[in-house]
Amino acid sequence: MAQLNLHYKAYDLQLEHTFTVAVHSRTTTPIMLVELEYDGIIGYGESAMPPYLGESQKTASEFFAKLDLAQFSDPFRIAEILDYVDKIAPANYAAKAGIDIALHDLVGKILGKPWYKIWGYNAEDTPVTSFTIGIDTPEVVKEKTQKASPYKMLKAKVGLDNDKEMIATIREVTNTPICVDANQGWKDKYKALDEIEWLATQGVVFVEQPLPKEQIDDIAWLTQHSPLPIIADEALQRLSDVAELKGIYSGINVKLMKATGMREAHQMLQLAKSLGMKTMLGCMTETSCAISAATQLSSLADWADLDGNLLITNDLFDGVKVVNGKMQLNDRAGIGVVKIQ
Ligand code: MG
């Protein structure tokens, strides 16, 4: 009888530009490439682990080494398999996501259908994606903004002391709508509200994680008074967090690497929508593998920020594309990728 065979390998993504957000700066992102083979068919997955989140190629390898997936002879038992994986050890969110994505790719390939079709979504309903402009000198910000002209939404990283300069520099180049991510960089709710009121006059659409996630009362106050939606990112990990954030934030930013993969990210987006919250689908620096997996879910998102594969120089997959600023799905089975290296 056929069984599930797991293979994994460390790989380092090279970033085109040094990436600076409010809390850190870096030029590479460590990932694990995951393959699940069953009866000659290979499903691809990926675990992307920006260092500040605490996982590493070492912790992921140790996690994978604990798994005995060969005990499963039916890959269609997705819930049973992923519940087993989730219970092996706490946390290890990205490692779990790598297995989840590979399993979805495998099952989709066995069925001969992409996941957005299996779930019943319309490929035309995908959102536009934002393109991220990191914190940098005005010259570099202008250059990056010019290069981002095909995108219909820009994402500006703020939260250091040059926020207004960042936005004003982008506005010298373009009137494209901007979303803003402070990555918990502001500390005072009154200053944050002042800032947001100014941002609202600059064509900014929403603000992600303005204050540290621990300042729950301040964030709830800010959301009540803010002219722009306030979106939780760092404050959100998994499905069990979603309902608690209602009333504190306007919406949530779901990422496969936080959510342990496609299955739970799907549940989170559905729950958030049912609670009347705004939905956003984000990413880490990832190859087209994880980005294509996330895009299968993207018709549930009001906004997408799925540009992680566009910020690297050594992608290993061909997958979904951005066409006229909008995520474009393809008809390939599974998560919609082929390996190109
Ligand atoms: Mg964010």
Side-chain angles (χ1 to χ4, degrees):
M1 208 191 312
Q3 60 182 37
L4 281 172
N5 296 306
L6 170 64
H7 301 279
Y8 50 91
K9 192 170 86 180
Y11 187 71
D12 289 324
L13 301 182
Q14 305 295 327
L15 307 189
E16 197 177 346
H17 296 279
T18 303
F19 195 69
T20 303
V21 300
V23 288
H24 66 107
S25 207
R26 65 178 197 273
T27 55
T28 63
T29 298
I31 69 165
M32 295 298 289
L33 298 166
V34 179
E35 291 185 11
L36 268 180
E37 184 268 334
Y38 179 85
D39 208 11
I41 301 175
I42 296 172
Y44 295 109
E46 170 182 5
S47 306
M49 299 169 292
Y52 66 97
L53 293 178
E55 288 185 72
S56 65
Q57 289 164 338
K58 182 169 178 286
T59 62
S61 299
E62 286 166 359
F63 181 81
F64 294 149
K66 289 183 192 146
L67 298 174
D68 170 24
L69 296 180
Q71 66 180 292
F72 297 102
S73 57
D74 182 358
F76 284 88
R77 295 193 181 174
I78 294 175
E80 197 178 303
I81 296 167
L82 295 180
D83 284 346
Y84 159 79
V85 170
D86 198 22
K87 290 192 178 98
I88 289 291
N92 290 286
Y93 310 107
K96 290 170 183 173
I99 302 287
D100 167 289
I101 295 167
L103 183 60
H104 279 83
D105 192 37
L106 174 69
V107 168
K109 282 172 172 165
I110 295 171
L111 292 171
K113 294 278 183 237
W115 270 95
Y116 75 88
K117 281 195 181 172
I118 296 169
W119 280 323
Y121 299 123
N122 181 346
E124 301 301 312
D125 287 346
T126 58
V128 300
T129 184
S130 54
F131 186 83
T132 301
I133 312 283
I135 296 171
D136 220 313
T137 62
E139 294 70 40
V140 178
V141 168
K142 266 188 206 170
E143 186 202 315
K144 286 186 189 168
T145 305
Q146 268 148 5
K147 265 183 77 181
S149 61
Y151 296 90
K152 302 268 191 279
M153 170 105 86
L154 298 175
K155 176 166 176 174
K157 293 286 193 178
V158 298
L160 295 183
D161 48 16
N162 62 343
D163 296 350
K164 286 193 174 168
E165 182 187 76
M166 271 289 293
I167 302 301
T169 306
I170 293 172
R171 279 289 168 258
E172 281 178 41
V173 180
T174 178
N175 286 320
T176 301
I178 302 173
C179 57
V180 154
D181 190 353
N183 289 109
Q184 318 186 78
W186 300 331
K187 306 296 174 205
D188 178 83
K189 65 179 179 181
Y190 299 106
K191 264 185 80 176
L193 182 60
D194 274 355
E195 192 102 20
I196 293 169
E197 282 172 344
W198 180 77
L199 291 170
T201 68
Q202 300 297 310
V204 170
V205 180
F206 65 87
V207 177
E208 218 180 298
Q209 204 65 55
L211 298 168
K213 61 182 179 185
E214 295 78 15
Q215 290 176 224
I216 295 167
D217 294 343
D218 291 345
I219 295 166
W221 178 90
L222 189 59
T223 298
Q224 245 173 24
H225 292 83
S226 168
L228 300 176
I230 304 294
I231 306 299
D233 184 4
E234 283 84 346
L236 173 78
Q237 188 81 46
R238 299 188 59 170
L239 179 61
S240 55
D241 301 324
V242 175
E244 287 169 25
L245 296 179
K246 183 176 163 60
I248 302 169
Y249 294 85
S250 325
I252 57 170
N253 183 355
V254 174
K255 297 176 182 171
L256 298 191
M257 296 302 146
K258 293 193 298 186
T260 71
M262 296 167 73
R263 181 176 71 139
E264 195 158 315
H266 190 201
Q267 294 168 337
M268 290 168 80
L269 290 166
Q270 288 176 316
L271 176 58
K273 284 180 88 76
S274 77
L275 293 171
M277 299 173 83
K278 294 281 184 195
T279 51
M280 176 179 177
L281 194 53
C283 63
M284 310 296 178
T285 316
E286 298 165 355
T287 72
S288 292
C289 176
I291 296 295
S292 299
T295 305
Q296 304 296 320
L297 294 159
S298 66
S299 54
L300 291 175
D302 294 309
W303 302 297
D305 178 31
L306 295 174
D307 64 349
N309 57 332
L310 306 173
L311 306 172
I312 61 172
T313 57
N314 59 341
D315 202 345
L316 292 171
F317 295 88
D318 180 73
V320 300
K321 300 281 184 267
V322 180
V323 177
N324 294 324
K326 192 169 133 80
M327 300 308 296
Q328 189 176 65
L329 288 155
N330 58 51
D331 277 337
R332 289 181 191 143
I335 59 171
V337 298
V338 286
K339 205 155 183 233
I340 52 174
Q341 278 186 50

